[in-house]
mmCIF file of all heavy atoms in Angstrom:
data_model
loop_
_atom_site.group_PDB
_atom_site.id
_atom_site.type_symbol
_atom_site.label_atom_id
_atom_site.label_comp_id
_atom_site.label_asym_id
_atom_site.label_seq_id
_atom_site.Cartn_x
_atom_site.Cartn_y
_atom_site.Cartn_z
ATOM 1 N N THR A 1 3.858 17.837 -15.850
ATOM 2 C CA THR A 1 2.479 17.430 -16.080
ATOM 3 C C THR A 1 2.164 16.105 -15.395
ATOM 4 O O THR A 1 3.051 15.292 -15.115
ATOM 5 C CB THR A 1 2.178 17.313 -17.582
ATOM 6 O OG1 THR A 1 3.160 16.472 -18.200
ATOM 7 C CG2 THR A 1 2.212 18.672 -18.237
ATOM 8 N N THR A 2 0.886 15.890 -15.148
ATOM 9 C CA THR A 2 0.414 14.682 -14.482
ATOM 10 C C THR A 2 0.779 13.430 -15.274
ATOM 11 O O THR A 2 0.646 13.389 -16.495
ATOM 12 C CB THR A 2 -1.119 14.749 -14.319
ATOM 13 O OG1 THR A 2 -1.434 15.794 -13.394
ATOM 14 C CG2 THR A 2 -1.689 13.430 -13.807
ATOM 15 N N GLY A 3 1.243 12.420 -14.536
ATOM 16 C CA GLY A 3 1.416 11.098 -15.130
ATOM 17 C C GLY A 3 2.655 10.888 -15.958
ATOM 18 O O GLY A 3 2.781 9.860 -16.622
ATOM 19 N N GLU A 4 3.604 11.827 -15.923
ATOM 20 C CA GLU A 4 4.829 11.658 -16.695
ATOM 21 C C GLU A 4 5.842 10.852 -15.884
ATOM 22 O O GLU A 4 6.189 11.211 -14.765
ATOM 23 C CB GLU A 4 5.424 13.010 -17.089
ATOM 24 C CG GLU A 4 4.660 13.726 -18.176
ATOM 25 C CD GLU A 4 4.670 13.004 -19.510
ATOM 26 O OE1 GLU A 4 5.499 12.097 -19.699
ATOM 27 O OE2 GLU A 4 3.838 13.351 -20.364
ATOM 28 N N LYS A 5 6.317 9.788 -16.468
ATOM 29 C CA LYS A 5 7.275 8.910 -15.813
ATOM 30 C C LYS A 5 8.694 9.376 -16.154
ATOM 31 O O LYS A 5 8.969 9.760 -17.294
ATOM 32 C CB LYS A 5 7.059 7.471 -16.303
ATOM 33 C CG LYS A 5 7.428 6.391 -15.321
ATOM 34 C CD LYS A 5 6.932 5.045 -15.860
ATOM 35 C CE LYS A 5 7.149 3.937 -14.868
ATOM 36 N NZ LYS A 5 6.611 2.654 -15.374
ATOM 37 N N ASP A 6 9.583 9.313 -15.177
ATOM 38 C CA ASP A 6 10.950 9.780 -15.404
ATOM 39 C C ASP A 6 11.740 8.844 -16.316
ATOM 40 O O ASP A 6 12.742 9.242 -16.898
ATOM 41 C CB ASP A 6 11.688 9.930 -14.071
ATOM 42 C CG ASP A 6 11.046 10.982 -13.175
ATOM 43 O OD1 ASP A 6 10.471 11.940 -13.731
ATOM 44 O OD2 ASP A 6 11.115 10.841 -11.945
ATOM 45 N N PHE A 7 11.301 7.591 -16.415
ATOM 46 C CA PHE A 7 12.013 6.608 -17.237
ATOM 47 C C PHE A 7 10.996 5.618 -17.785
ATOM 48 O O PHE A 7 9.856 5.546 -17.311
ATOM 49 C CB PHE A 7 13.071 5.870 -16.406
ATOM 50 C CG PHE A 7 12.493 5.156 -15.210
ATOM 51 C CD1 PHE A 7 12.142 3.821 -15.289
ATOM 52 C CD2 PHE A 7 12.287 5.829 -14.015
ATOM 53 C CE1 PHE A 7 11.594 3.165 -14.210
ATOM 54 C CE2 PHE A 7 11.725 5.172 -12.924
ATOM 55 C CZ PHE A 7 11.386 3.847 -13.018
ATOM 56 N N GLU A 8 11.413 4.850 -18.779
ATOM 57 C CA GLU A 8 10.537 3.875 -19.404
ATOM 58 C C GLU A 8 10.979 2.459 -19.036
ATOM 59 O O GLU A 8 12.175 2.180 -18.923
ATOM 60 C CB GLU A 8 10.570 4.029 -20.928
ATOM 61 C CG GLU A 8 10.009 5.348 -21.443
ATOM 62 C CD GLU A 8 8.491 5.386 -21.415
ATOM 63 O OE1 GLU A 8 7.943 5.574 -20.308
ATOM 64 O OE2 GLU A 8 7.864 5.242 -22.466
ATOM 65 N N GLU A 9 10.005 1.579 -18.878
ATOM 66 C CA GLU A 9 10.299 0.179 -18.605
ATOM 67 C C GLU A 9 9.194 -0.679 -19.218
ATOM 68 O O GLU A 9 8.054 -0.245 -19.332
ATOM 69 C CB GLU A 9 10.403 -0.079 -17.099
ATOM 70 C CG GLU A 9 9.177 0.360 -16.312
ATOM 71 C CD GLU A 9 9.390 0.319 -14.805
ATOM 72 O OE1 GLU A 9 10.255 -0.445 -14.339
ATOM 73 O OE2 GLU A 9 8.685 1.054 -14.094
ATOM 74 N N PHE A 10 9.558 -1.897 -19.609
ATOM 75 C CA PHE A 10 8.601 -2.785 -20.265
ATOM 76 C C PHE A 10 8.128 -3.913 -19.364
ATOM 77 O O PHE A 10 7.149 -4.581 -19.674
ATOM 78 C CB PHE A 10 9.224 -3.381 -21.531
ATOM 79 C CG PHE A 10 9.483 -2.358 -22.597
ATOM 80 C CD1 PHE A 10 10.746 -1.817 -22.776
ATOM 81 C CD2 PHE A 10 8.460 -1.900 -23.406
ATOM 82 C CE1 PHE A 10 10.986 -0.869 -23.742
ATOM 83 C CE2 PHE A 10 8.682 -0.950 -24.379
ATOM 84 C CZ PHE A 10 9.959 -0.427 -24.553
ATOM 85 N N PHE A 11 8.818 -4.141 -18.274
ATOM 86 C CA PHE A 11 8.442 -5.229 -17.375
ATOM 87 C C PHE A 11 8.842 -4.851 -15.956
ATOM 88 O O PHE A 11 9.635 -3.931 -15.732
ATOM 89 C CB PHE A 11 9.122 -6.537 -17.793
ATOM 90 C CG PHE A 11 10.607 -6.421 -17.992
ATOM 91 C CD1 PHE A 11 11.496 -6.558 -16.930
ATOM 92 C CD2 PHE A 11 11.133 -6.147 -19.252
ATOM 93 C CE1 PHE A 11 12.863 -6.425 -17.108
ATOM 94 C CE2 PHE A 11 12.508 -6.018 -19.444
ATOM 95 C CZ PHE A 11 13.373 -6.157 -18.363
ATOM 96 N N THR A 12 8.277 -5.569 -14.998
ATOM 97 C CA THR A 12 8.562 -5.303 -13.593
ATOM 98 C C THR A 12 9.468 -6.393 -13.034
ATOM 99 O O THR A 12 9.680 -7.438 -13.658
ATOM 100 C CB THR A 12 7.255 -5.244 -12.779
ATOM 101 O OG1 THR A 12 6.617 -6.533 -12.822
ATOM 102 C CG2 THR A 12 6.310 -4.208 -13.361
ATOM 103 N N ASP A 13 9.968 -6.163 -11.837
ATOM 104 C CA ASP A 13 10.905 -7.108 -11.225
ATOM 105 C C ASP A 13 10.275 -8.465 -10.932
ATOM 106 O O ASP A 13 10.979 -9.476 -10.864
ATOM 107 C CB ASP A 13 11.458 -6.519 -9.918
ATOM 108 C CG ASP A 13 12.360 -5.318 -10.159
ATOM 109 O OD1 ASP A 13 12.862 -5.178 -11.294
ATOM 110 O OD2 ASP A 13 12.543 -4.514 -9.230
ATOM 111 N N ASN A 14 8.953 -8.489 -10.753
ATOM 112 C CA ASN A 14 8.308 -9.761 -10.391
ATOM 113 C C ASN A 14 7.671 -10.479 -11.581
ATOM 114 O O ASN A 14 6.911 -11.428 -11.404
ATOM 115 C CB ASN A 14 7.257 -9.539 -9.297
ATOM 116 C CG ASN A 14 6.178 -8.564 -9.714
ATOM 117 O OD1 ASN A 14 6.203 -8.050 -10.826
ATOM 118 N ND2 ASN A 14 5.229 -8.299 -8.826
ATOM 119 N N GLU A 15 7.979 -10.033 -12.797
ATOM 120 C CA GLU A 15 7.466 -10.717 -13.987
ATOM 121 C C GLU A 15 8.543 -11.647 -14.552
ATOM 122 O O GLU A 15 9.724 -11.294 -14.610
ATOM 123 C CB GLU A 15 7.022 -9.697 -15.044
ATOM 124 C CG GLU A 15 5.755 -8.954 -14.633
ATOM 125 C CD GLU A 15 5.326 -7.889 -15.623
ATOM 126 O OE1 GLU A 15 6.187 -7.148 -16.141
ATOM 127 O OE2 GLU A 15 4.106 -7.781 -15.871
ATOM 128 N N ASN A 16 8.119 -12.849 -14.969
ATOM 129 C CA ASN A 16 9.043 -13.838 -15.511
ATOM 130 C C ASN A 16 9.261 -13.593 -17.002
ATOM 131 O O ASN A 16 8.301 -13.386 -17.750
ATOM 132 C CB ASN A 16 8.488 -15.252 -15.297
ATOM 133 C CG ASN A 16 8.397 -15.607 -13.821
ATOM 134 O OD1 ASN A 16 9.302 -15.302 -13.053
ATOM 135 N ND2 ASN A 16 7.292 -16.237 -13.434
ATOM 136 N N LEU A 17 10.522 -13.638 -17.427
ATOM 137 C CA LEU A 17 10.868 -13.279 -18.795
ATOM 138 C C LEU A 17 11.469 -14.450 -19.556
ATOM 139 O O LEU A 17 12.178 -15.277 -18.990
ATOM 140 C CB LEU A 17 11.870 -12.122 -18.805
ATOM 141 C CG LEU A 17 11.505 -10.856 -18.029
ATOM 142 C CD1 LEU A 17 12.615 -9.829 -18.166
ATOM 143 C CD2 LEU A 17 10.175 -10.289 -18.508
ATOM 144 N N ASP A 18 11.172 -14.479 -20.851
ATOM 145 C CA ASP A 18 11.859 -15.357 -21.800
ATOM 146 C C ASP A 18 12.602 -14.443 -22.767
ATOM 147 O O ASP A 18 11.988 -13.799 -23.616
ATOM 148 C CB ASP A 18 10.845 -16.234 -22.540
ATOM 149 C CG ASP A 18 11.491 -17.111 -23.610
ATOM 150 O OD1 ASP A 18 12.713 -16.994 -23.831
ATOM 151 O OD2 ASP A 18 10.762 -17.903 -24.242
ATOM 152 N N MET A 19 13.923 -14.409 -22.623
ATOM 153 C CA MET A 19 14.741 -13.547 -23.471
ATOM 154 C C MET A 19 15.500 -14.346 -24.525
ATOM 155 O O MET A 19 16.384 -13.805 -25.205
ATOM 156 C CB MET A 19 15.732 -12.758 -22.608
ATOM 157 C CG MET A 19 15.077 -11.903 -21.535
ATOM 158 S SD MET A 19 14.056 -10.563 -22.200
ATOM 159 C CE MET A 19 15.329 -9.373 -22.640
ATOM 160 N N GLU A 20 15.152 -15.612 -24.688
ATOM 161 C CA GLU A 20 15.909 -16.494 -25.567
ATOM 162 C C GLU A 20 15.183 -16.846 -26.868
ATOM 163 O O GLU A 20 15.824 -17.140 -27.877
ATOM 164 C CB GLU A 20 16.257 -17.792 -24.831
ATOM 165 C CG GLU A 20 17.024 -17.579 -23.537
ATOM 166 C CD GLU A 20 18.348 -16.868 -23.751
ATOM 167 O OE1 GLU A 20 18.992 -17.131 -24.799
ATOM 168 O OE2 GLU A 20 18.732 -16.054 -22.898
ATOM 169 N N ARG A 21 13.857 -16.844 -26.860
ATOM 170 C CA ARG A 21 13.123 -17.366 -28.015
ATOM 171 C C ARG A 21 13.381 -16.550 -29.279
ATOM 172 O O ARG A 21 13.530 -17.108 -30.372
ATOM 173 C CB ARG A 21 11.625 -17.408 -27.715
ATOM 174 C CG ARG A 21 10.818 -18.030 -28.848
ATOM 175 C CD ARG A 21 9.335 -18.088 -28.550
ATOM 176 N NE ARG A 21 8.597 -18.584 -29.710
ATOM 177 C CZ ARG A 21 7.288 -18.506 -29.850
ATOM 178 N NH1 ARG A 21 6.536 -17.981 -28.885
ATOM 179 N NH2 ARG A 21 6.703 -18.964 -30.947
ATOM 180 N N PHE A 22 13.433 -15.222 -29.138
ATOM 181 C CA PHE A 22 13.635 -14.345 -30.289
ATOM 182 C C PHE A 22 14.892 -13.506 -30.091
ATOM 183 O O PHE A 22 15.294 -13.220 -28.961
ATOM 184 C CB PHE A 22 12.436 -13.417 -30.492
ATOM 185 C CG PHE A 22 11.145 -14.128 -30.758
ATOM 186 C CD1 PHE A 22 10.196 -14.266 -29.757
ATOM 187 C CD2 PHE A 22 10.874 -14.662 -32.007
ATOM 188 C CE1 PHE A 22 8.995 -14.920 -29.999
ATOM 189 C CE2 PHE A 22 9.680 -15.316 -32.264
ATOM 190 C CZ PHE A 22 8.740 -15.450 -31.251
ATOM 191 N N GLU A 23 15.466 -13.090 -31.191
ATOM 192 C CA GLU A 23 16.664 -12.259 -31.124
ATOM 193 C C GLU A 23 16.353 -10.843 -30.679
ATOM 194 O O GLU A 23 17.112 -10.227 -29.920
ATOM 195 C CB GLU A 23 17.353 -12.227 -32.494
ATOM 196 C CG GLU A 23 18.624 -11.392 -32.528
ATOM 197 C CD GLU A 23 19.262 -11.337 -33.899
ATOM 198 O OE1 GLU A 23 18.886 -12.148 -34.774
ATOM 199 O OE2 GLU A 23 20.140 -10.477 -34.104
ATOM 200 N N THR A 24 15.211 -10.299 -31.124
ATOM 201 C CA THR A 24 14.925 -8.886 -30.907
ATOM 202 C C THR A 24 13.725 -8.630 -30.006
ATOM 203 O O THR A 24 13.417 -7.471 -29.716
ATOM 204 C CB THR A 24 14.669 -8.194 -32.262
ATOM 205 O OG1 THR A 24 13.525 -8.803 -32.897
ATOM 206 C CG2 THR A 24 15.882 -8.313 -33.171
ATOM 207 N N VAL A 25 13.060 -9.691 -29.568
ATOM 208 C CA VAL A 25 11.832 -9.556 -28.790
ATOM 209 C C VAL A 25 11.963 -10.333 -27.489
ATOM 210 O O VAL A 25 12.401 -11.483 -27.484
ATOM 211 C CB VAL A 25 10.613 -10.082 -29.578
ATOM 212 C CG1 VAL A 25 9.347 -10.015 -28.718
ATOM 213 C CG2 VAL A 25 10.428 -9.287 -30.860
ATOM 214 N N GLY A 26 11.588 -9.702 -26.390
ATOM 215 C CA GLY A 26 11.465 -10.389 -25.119
ATOM 216 C C GLY A 26 10.014 -10.753 -24.863
ATOM 217 O O GLY A 26 9.100 -10.179 -25.462
ATOM 218 N N ILE A 27 9.792 -11.713 -23.971
ATOM 219 C CA ILE A 27 8.434 -12.171 -23.681
ATOM 220 C C ILE A 27 8.229 -12.230 -22.171
ATOM 221 O O ILE A 27 9.047 -12.800 -21.441
ATOM 222 C CB ILE A 27 8.159 -13.572 -24.264
ATOM 223 C CG1 ILE A 27 8.493 -13.622 -25.756
ATOM 224 C CG2 ILE A 27 6.705 -13.968 -24.026
ATOM 225 C CD1 ILE A 27 8.419 -15.026 -26.340
ATOM 226 N N ILE A 28 7.143 -11.633 -21.702
ATOM 227 C CA ILE A 28 6.706 -11.808 -20.320
ATOM 228 C C ILE A 28 5.815 -13.036 -20.279
ATOM 229 O O ILE A 28 4.804 -13.107 -20.985
ATOM 230 C CB ILE A 28 5.938 -10.569 -19.825
ATOM 231 C CG1 ILE A 28 6.820 -9.312 -19.917
ATOM 232 C CG2 ILE A 28 5.447 -10.780 -18.394
ATOM 233 C CD1 ILE A 28 6.061 -8.017 -19.733
ATOM 234 N N LYS A 29 6.201 -14.028 -19.483
ATOM 235 C CA LYS A 29 5.463 -15.282 -19.374
ATOM 236 C C LYS A 29 4.567 -15.214 -18.140
ATOM 237 O O LYS A 29 5.046 -15.165 -17.007
ATOM 238 C CB LYS A 29 6.421 -16.461 -19.267
ATOM 239 C CG LYS A 29 7.450 -16.550 -20.403
ATOM 240 C CD LYS A 29 6.801 -16.811 -21.741
ATOM 241 C CE LYS A 29 6.191 -18.192 -21.820
ATOM 242 N NZ LYS A 29 5.698 -18.496 -23.211
ATOM 243 N N ASN A 30 3.279 -15.176 -18.368
ATOM 244 C CA ASN A 30 2.325 -14.988 -17.279
ATOM 245 C C ASN A 30 1.620 -16.280 -16.884
ATOM 246 O O ASN A 30 1.342 -17.134 -17.732
ATOM 247 C CB ASN A 30 1.247 -13.972 -17.698
ATOM 248 C CG ASN A 30 1.781 -12.558 -17.778
ATOM 249 O OD1 ASN A 30 2.142 -11.971 -16.771
ATOM 250 N ND2 ASN A 30 1.837 -12.013 -18.989
ATOM 251 N N GLN A 31 1.342 -16.394 -15.613
ATOM 252 C CA GLN A 31 0.422 -17.398 -15.101
ATOM 253 C C GLN A 31 -0.937 -16.730 -14.911
ATOM 254 O O GLN A 31 -1.024 -15.515 -14.712
ATOM 255 C CB GLN A 31 0.927 -17.970 -13.778
ATOM 256 C CG GLN A 31 2.229 -18.740 -13.890
ATOM 257 C CD GLN A 31 2.110 -19.935 -14.824
ATOM 258 O OE1 GLN A 31 1.134 -20.691 -14.754
ATOM 259 N NE2 GLN A 31 3.084 -20.097 -15.712
ATOM 260 N N PRO A 32 -2.029 -17.509 -14.965
ATOM 261 C CA PRO A 32 -3.360 -16.895 -14.823
ATOM 262 C C PRO A 32 -3.666 -16.531 -13.380
ATOM 263 O O PRO A 32 -4.579 -17.077 -12.746
ATOM 264 C CB PRO A 32 -4.294 -17.989 -15.355
ATOM 265 C CG PRO A 32 -3.580 -19.265 -15.062
ATOM 266 C CD PRO A 32 -2.109 -18.960 -15.226
ATOM 267 N N ASN A 33 -2.885 -15.573 -12.863
ATOM 268 C CA ASN A 33 -3.077 -15.137 -11.484
ATOM 269 C C ASN A 33 -3.999 -13.919 -11.461
ATOM 270 O O ASN A 33 -3.687 -12.893 -12.070
ATOM 271 C CB ASN A 33 -1.731 -14.787 -10.846
ATOM 272 C CG ASN A 33 -0.792 -15.981 -10.785
ATOM 273 O OD1 ASN A 33 -1.235 -17.108 -10.574
ATOM 274 N ND2 ASN A 33 0.495 -15.747 -10.974
#
């Protein structure tokens, strides 16, 4: 069917991440681009 992705992902390679603040939650840190 249309639009089915073969795998799941929550962020892209060019997004900056904070994986330290929380034990179970990651954060994408965005600039106002």
Side-chain angles (χ1 to χ4, degrees):
T1 52
T2 293
E4 287 295 344
K5 209 170 185 177
D6 297 330
F7 58 94
E8 295 284 77
E9 55 190 336
F10 293 99
F11 51 86
T12 64
D13 292 340
N14 59 0
E15 289 177 318
N16 295 318
L17 306 180
D18 176 356
M19 302 295 281
E20 304 300 324
R21 184 179 175 194
F22 299 103
E23 180 182 346
T24 61
V25 176
I27 307 172
I28 301 168
K29 305 295 292 187
N30 289 293
Q31 295 300 315
N33 298 324

